[in-house]
Amino acid sequence: MELPEFYELEHTADWALQINGASLSHLFHSATLGMFDLMGVKLADDGGLDRKIDLEAFDLEELLVAWLEELLYGVEMRSVGVTNLELAVEENSSLISKFTEVPISSIEKEIKGVTFHGLEIKGTRGSLEAIVVFDV
Amino acid sequence: MINKGDVVRTGPVTWEIPKTYRKDMRVPVRIFADERLLNAALKDKSLTQAVNASTLPGLVSHVTVMPDVHQGYGFPIGGVAATSYPEGVISPGAIGYDINCGVRLLASQIAYEEAEPYLDDLALQLDENCPSGVGVKGSVRLSVDDLEDVCRNGSNWALNNGYAWEDDIPSTEEHGRIRNADPRDVSPRAMERGRSQLGTLGGGNHFIEVDLVEKIFDHEAAEAMNLSEGYLVLQIHCGSRGFGHQICSDYVRDLQSAVRKYKIQLPDRELVCAPLNSPEGEAYLSAMSCAANYAFANRQVLVSHARRAFEQTFAGKVANYELTQVYDIAHNMGKIEDHQIEGKQVRVCVHRKGATRAFGPGFSELPEKYRHLGQPVLVPGSMGTASWVLLGTEGSMLQSFGSTCHGAGRTMSRKKAKKSIRGDQLRKQLMKKGIRIHAGSMAGLAEEAPHAYKDVDAVVNVVTQAGIAKKVARLRPVAVIKG
């Protein structure tokens, strides 16, 4: 059975997100979708700007946090989300992304930070998972 | 998970997880709770997180857990830990993303009966004057130089720029300014986020609340605070906005390498830390102080907006619509303080995350009117329930590094809360109880439903029974503005 890309887990105060992916790129893609879903982000139908972001980190967990924080920065400062996302995440903790940055038409909730709490990318090739906890 | 059998009762409302519970613990965990609140804490990872916190290098005496504790990330919300200065560590994750999230209370001379016909208008005016919600920009636009001034001077910046009254400043923790805040330790990205958000409330559990003073327990203290039964007061709960969030994010990420450099073993990466006397630790303390000063200034600008809302609502209708500041207190902060530990004065860095400083009588920083009473402590409730005004005590100095609880504490997840009630239903329920609600997000409102929180009265009863705070007044909400 195919696992859902993401779903919310119980967390008393904050938000915990289970993410799944067949590859690192897929896992990071799932985290992106899940985070925007938690925030209740709806994108405008038109407008958009093609962008690229490349990142490197010490390990994959740091890379995931850095990627999600990069997106949160866009949400807060430019009020934009992403669509047409293409991600290439490598085992050496590097990321290359291409996406269209689209204005947000509505958003329900704010995320203060992407935490490292219990963050560990686990699994084998073909089935990767992690839990990301967000401070809200 | 920790079981009840792992916890030793040490008093009517005190418990301990001994240092022997886990090999990597450096100090025991002291819990303030009655039986019911302890059982609630055992249901999630709160106490496991407290045990994890007890592994931080340089800890002194014990990790303290307040009765409003709940699971956070890394460090529990409602936790206090003191590390020896300067060789112990400072941990941004043990302070939180919303640096100097805190509460400010203002007193009015407006009786509820007199105000009641105008409360709908007041709620509207507060909502319109105080920007709230996700990514909202404030009316104050800061140049880089202005923001650096805010970083260094906090509430004094607000005073110099017409957002404060002279009397507001001494009634603010640290007089609204933490020293040794150097904006050069703040990233350009944090500076960018900070320039447009001063004077904004944000979202989540932040609020502006109009309450009436329902019952006074300590008349002398209430008089010093200008609190009278049946009169309106105003609470503001918010922090350092995106500026503080970015500083915490930057340093939690940067200090991952410091942990490797200083060979610090941690059970959770969110507890990342650096020695206080290391370049990394010094830089974080300085940047955190910038965020703390930003938060003091932020609440001060919101006070200025709220005073305008009171004027717009009540001018010509009541004799006196002034709001005088009772106190402003942080509940997410790391502070360098001196404490008596085992008969010796020791300088420590007290990490309070979801815990309030509660210094007892005689504390020189307090304005004269409070010095013989102790420091005012503000404990907000959960939108539909009471809030409390307390005083710090000598007991808190001896038992909890001069700290006490910070609120009701969550007991239900946001996911469950949203499933249990819709935001519009909740608003109707609260309206029936005479509580006017203005909320930017109905989903966000549902997540903050009062039944998602513990009983704030039970929390306050524990801290007063333990002697780490003293009751002054109980407040009842009549209007709430949420982002």
Side-chain angles (χ1 to χ4, degrees), chain B residues 158-188:
Chain B
L159 181 65
N160 294 336
N161 286 274
Y163 296 103
W165 297 351
E166 291 273 355
D167 287 350
D168 297 341
I169 307 301
S171 294
T172 305
E173 180 172 344
E174 295 281 342
H175 293 200
R177 175 181 176 245
I178 310 276
R179 289 169 193 198
N180 303 319
D182 188 340
R184 287 175 297 184
D185 293 313
V186 175
S187 70

Side-chain angles (χ1 to χ4, degrees), chain B residues 226-237:
Chain B
N226 282 327
L227 300 177
S228 307
E229 270 181 26
Y231 281 72
L232 296 190
V233 294
L234 185 85
Q235 290 187 87
I236 297 173
H237 174 218

Side-chain angles (χ1 to χ4, degrees), chain B residues 64-260:
Chain B
T64 306
V65 169
M66 294 299 164
D68 52 330
V69 70
H70 57 79
Q71 177 183 342
Y73 42 85
F75 200 86
I77 314 297
V80 181
T83 50
S84 64
Y85 182 86
E87 66 279 9
V89 297
I90 185 164
S91 169
I95 290 160
Y97 288 80
D98 199 359
I99 296 164
N100 188 5
C101 184
V103 186
R104 186 170 294 216
L105 179 69
L106 298 121
S108 87
Q109 298 306 310
I110 308 170
Y112 176 75
E113 287 76 18
E114 201 180 8
E116 207 277 334
Y118 311 111
L119 284 177
D120 288 336
D121 190 32
L122 176 62
L124 186 66
Q125 295 295 349
L126 285 167
D127 196 16
E128 288 188 351
N129 277 284
C130 304
S132 62
V134 185
V136 70
K137 310 261 187 299
S139 56
V140 183
R141 293 300 160 95
L142 300 170
S143 67
V144 171
D145 286 349
D146 290 335
L147 181 52
E148 288 183 355
D149 195 0
V150 172
C151 288
R152 288 192 186 93
N153 294 310
S155 293
N156 284 322
W157 174 89
L159 181 65
N160 294 336
N161 286 274
Y163 296 103
W165 297 351
E166 291 273 355
D167 287 350
D168 297 341
I169 307 301
S171 294
T172 305
E173 180 172 344
E174 295 281 342
H175 293 200
R177 175 181 176 245
I178 310 276
R179 289 169 193 198
N180 303 319
D182 188 340
R184 287 175 297 184
D185 293 313
V186 175
S187 70
R189 187 163 274 199
M191 293 295 280
E192 197 184 338
R193 287 177 77 171
R195 285 178 62 188
S196 59
Q197 293 189 347
L198 199 71
T200 64
L201 187 63
N205 61 356
H206 294 161
F207 61 77
I208 294 177
E209 186 171 295
V210 182
D211 300 88
L212 71 89
V213 180
E214 192 176 55
K215 185 170 170 59
I216 284 176
F217 295 81
D218 181 331
H219 289 274
E220 186 193 0
E223 196 179 328
M225 296 178 189
N226 282 327
L227 300 177
S228 307
E229 270 181 26
Y231 281 72
L232 296 190
V233 294
L234 185 85
Q235 290 187 87
I236 297 173
H237 174 218
C238 66
S240 49
R241 309 286 294 111
F243 183 67
H245 308 168
Q246 187 68 49
I247 287 171
C248 184
S249 296
D250 290 340
Y251 279 92
V252 167
R253 206 133 48 87
D254 289 354
L255 265 56
Q256 299 289 328
S257 58
V259 166
R260 295 189 282 271

Side-chain angles (χ1 to χ4, degrees), chain A residues 8-105:
Chain A
E8 189 183 351
L9 300 170
E10 292 292 333
H11 188 289
T12 317
D14 297 300
W15 281 337
L17 188 72
Q18 170 77 42
I19 52 169
N20 300 305
S23 63
L24 282 171
S25 302
H26 188 194
L27 188 76
F28 276 54
H29 196 274
S30 300
T32 308
L33 294 177
M35 185 176 77
F36 280 109
D37 184 73
L38 282 176
M39 296 172 84
V41 165
K42 299 222 170 10
L43 299 179
D45 293 333
D46 50 5
L49 185 68
D50 290 336
R51 286 201 65 199
K52 291 178 180 177
I53 292 178
D54 298 348
L55 294 171
E56 286 180 5
F58 177 79
D59 59 24
L60 288 166
E61 286 79 11
E62 276 190 42
L63 187 68
L64 180 58
V65 170
W67 166 245
L68 295 175
E69 281 178 354
E70 195 68 36
L71 299 175
L72 285 179
Y73 183 71
V75 170
E76 186 168 298
M77 293 308 297
R78 298 189 298 279
S79 192
V80 291
V82 301
T83 187
N84 304 324
L85 175 62
E86 290 176 34
L87 272 168
V89 182
E90 302 297 335
E91 292 283 352
N92 66 357
S93 309
S94 66
L95 172 154
I96 297 170
S97 69
K98 274 173 41 179
F99 54 88
T100 309
E101 207 174 64
V102 182
I104 290 171
S105 60

